[in-house]
């Protein structure tokens, strides 16, 4: 045994355990409004922050101390400050890098641990609908900042001729829409187009309908419970899959349905978690996050459905290209990318 290697690994393990613990504290800070109450960047004492947020002062001091130990807040002589850069990630919900709201996805992985154990000892199946409800809201809040930052300004313009169609008045399907964040972002940007969101999870569709009503776009946006292989409608100019295709048991069948539903010259916008094609190329912080989530959420959901292809959240462009070729698409390309997203276009 190499004692130096053991000590190095134990140091890494302590860091990872601390990270897991501090994420629970991030969730507390977001839910209790602690970060938002520090977003002005001014130093506060624990008592001042506790008074602002109606929280227990002793627990707030402990929470702040952990935040300081993690480098999330600054500490100086009993006063704590949330720097502007950290506030963008932890307090400002309209920031493109806001992650605190999406941290509850991690909570769902712990809530559902016993279900994942059963799946791993059995057939691998755990349906999306059988997870703790915090997964559904957390997933929307995890992905929504990236959609707001990139979807209209970068991803749609990277597709061939799609923006002009949307500006003139296109018909769009958003398959696997969840709470409808991506659908509504597009609907607000392109008022002459109509949008149809589909998801197999009925509570998510109900939430999406409420969001559409709140946004006053209900006349141009419809949300329908339907599977990706059987969503209704035809003559779509654009069919979108946002961070969902890899979760499906039969992604080839979903792509085939999109092929049928597109009008001639139509496009598919496929957004998937960023991944390279080989495992060794994904052994990095982004890959670690997505593989871990995929173990508990994405792949078990696929294994709970017909076909059970189990692409996983790190499928990579090559495997996705094969899915769309098998579904009958003749053109497939990487339109653009971010550190967290592959943005791909498929056409007949």
């Amino acid at each position: 045994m190499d004692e130096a290697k053991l000590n190095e690994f134990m140091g890494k393990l302590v860091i990872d355990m601390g990270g897991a613990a501090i994420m629970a504290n991030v969730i507390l800070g977001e839910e209790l409004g602690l970060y938002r109450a520090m977003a002005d960047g001014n130093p506060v004492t624990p008592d001042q922050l506790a008074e602002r947020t109606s929280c227990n002062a002793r627990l707030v001091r402990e929470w702040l101390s952990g935040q300081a130990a993690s480098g999330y807040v600054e500490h100086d002589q009993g006063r704590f400050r949330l720097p502007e850069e950290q506030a963008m990630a932890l307090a400002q919900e309209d920031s493109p890098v806001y992650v605190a709201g999406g941290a509850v996805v991690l909570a769902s992985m712990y809530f559902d641990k016993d279900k994942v154990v059963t799946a791993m000892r059995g057939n691998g199946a755990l349906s999306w609908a059988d997870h703790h409800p915090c997964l559904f809201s957390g997933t929307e809040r995890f992905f929504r900042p990236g959609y707001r930052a990139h979807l209209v300004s970068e991803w749609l313009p990277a597709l061939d001729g799609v923006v002009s169609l949307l500006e003139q008045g296109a018909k769009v399907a958003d398959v696997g829409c969840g709470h409808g964040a991506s659908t509504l972002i597009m609907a607000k940007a392109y008022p002459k187009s109509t949008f149809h969101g589909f998801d197999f999870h009925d509570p998510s569709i109900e939430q999406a309908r409420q969001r559409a009503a709140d946004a006053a776009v209900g006349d141009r946006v419809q949300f329908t419970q339907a599977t990706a292989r059987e969503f209704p409608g035809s003559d779509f100019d654009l069919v979108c899959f946002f961070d969902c295709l890899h979760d499906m048991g039969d992604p080839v069948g979903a792509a085939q349905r999109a092929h049928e539903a597109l009008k001639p010259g139509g496009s598919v916008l496929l957004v998937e978690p960023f991944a390279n094609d080989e495992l060794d190329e994904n052994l990095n912080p982004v890959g670690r996050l997505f593989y871990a989530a995929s173990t508990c959420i994405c792949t078990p959901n696929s294994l709970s459905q017909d076909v059970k292809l189990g692409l996983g959240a790190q499928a990579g462009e090559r495997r996705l290209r094969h899915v769309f070729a098998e579904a009958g698409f003749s053109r497939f390309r990487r339109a653009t990318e971010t550190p967290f997203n592959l943005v791909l276009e498929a056409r007949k």
Side-chain angles (χ1 to χ4, degrees), residues 98-326:
Y98 179 71
V99 297
V104 293
V105 170
L106 305 178
S108 77
M109 295 164 66
Y110 286 91
F111 278 128
D112 297 327
K113 183 267 299 178
D114 290 344
K115 296 178 181 179
V116 178
V117 168
T118 299
M120 294 190 76
R121 286 178 171 161
N123 63 4
L126 177 59
S127 174
W128 174 268
D130 292 333
H131 282 275
H132 191 280
C134 71
L135 174 61
F136 315 139
S137 60
T139 297
E140 179 196 8
R141 299 186 75 191
F142 180 79
F143 287 115
R144 185 172 58 197
Y147 297 162
R148 283 177 172 170
H150 302 291
L151 175 52
V152 172
S153 63
E154 299 171 30
W155 296 350
L156 290 169
L159 306 182
D160 289 336
V162 167
V163 168
S164 62
L165 291 174
L166 291 167
E167 290 173 342
Q168 294 165 21
K171 183 180 179 181
V172 180
D174 189 357
V175 182
C177 65
H179 289 180
S182 51
T183 323
L184 296 176
I185 288 169
M186 292 187 290
K188 291 175 183 177
Y190 301 105
K192 292 184 179 180
S193 292
T194 59
F195 297 86
H196 303 261
F198 304 105
D199 201 286
F200 82 119
H201 186 235
D202 188 54
S204 291
I205 287 295
E206 290 300 320
Q207 183 66 250
R209 288 171 177 162
Q210 185 59 54
R211 298 281 174 83
D214 293 342
V217 294
D219 58 329
R220 297 185 296 106
V221 179
Q222 295 181 356
F223 289 104
T224 304
Q225 182 185 14
T227 68
R229 294 191 305 182
E230 298 174 342
F231 68 87
S234 59
D235 293 326
F236 290 101
D237 296 283
L238 177 67
V239 175
C240 304
F241 296 92
F242 290 101
D243 292 294
C244 64
L245 190 81
H246 65 272
D247 296 291
M248 298 176 185
D250 185 12
V252 175
Q256 287 174 334
R257 176 67 192 115
H259 191 277
E260 295 169 355
L262 282 172
K263 66 170 53 174
S267 300
V268 167
L269 170 58
L270 174 64
V271 177
E272 282 284 297
F274 185 91
N276 295 297
D277 291 324
E278 302 297 337
L279 171 60
D280 287 345
E281 298 173 333
N282 296 323
L283 303 182
N284 52 55
V286 174
R288 180 172 80 151
L289 173 62
F290 285 138
Y291 278 125
S294 188
T295 301
C296 297
I297 302 168
C298 311
T299 308
N301 184 68
S302 177
L303 298 181
S304 75
Q305 300 176 355
D306 291 343
V307 181
K308 311 179 192 302
L309 191 61
L311 280 176
Q314 292 286 272
E317 182 178 347
R318 184 173 62 210
R319 294 182 70 195
L320 296 167
R321 180 185 299 274
H322 180 74
V323 166
F324 276 80
E326 190 174 346

Side-chain angles (χ1 to χ4, degrees), residues 24-42 44-46 48-56 60 63-64 67 73 82 87 90-93 98 100-101 104 141:
N25 281 255
V26 167
I27 294 168
L28 288 174
E30 195 280 331
E31 184 169 331
L32 295 169
L34 297 169
Y35 293 122
R36 291 188 293 276
M38 300 178 72
D40 60 8
N42 295 321
V44 293
T45 66
Q48 288 171 332
L49 183 59
E51 184 176 356
R52 288 183 190 178
T53 57
S54 301
C55 289
N56 180 276
V60 167
W63 180 86
L64 282 166
Q67 298 290 302
V73 305
L82 183 68
L90 300 172
Q92 299 171 10
E93 292 202 39
Y98 179 71
V104 293
R141 299 186 75 191

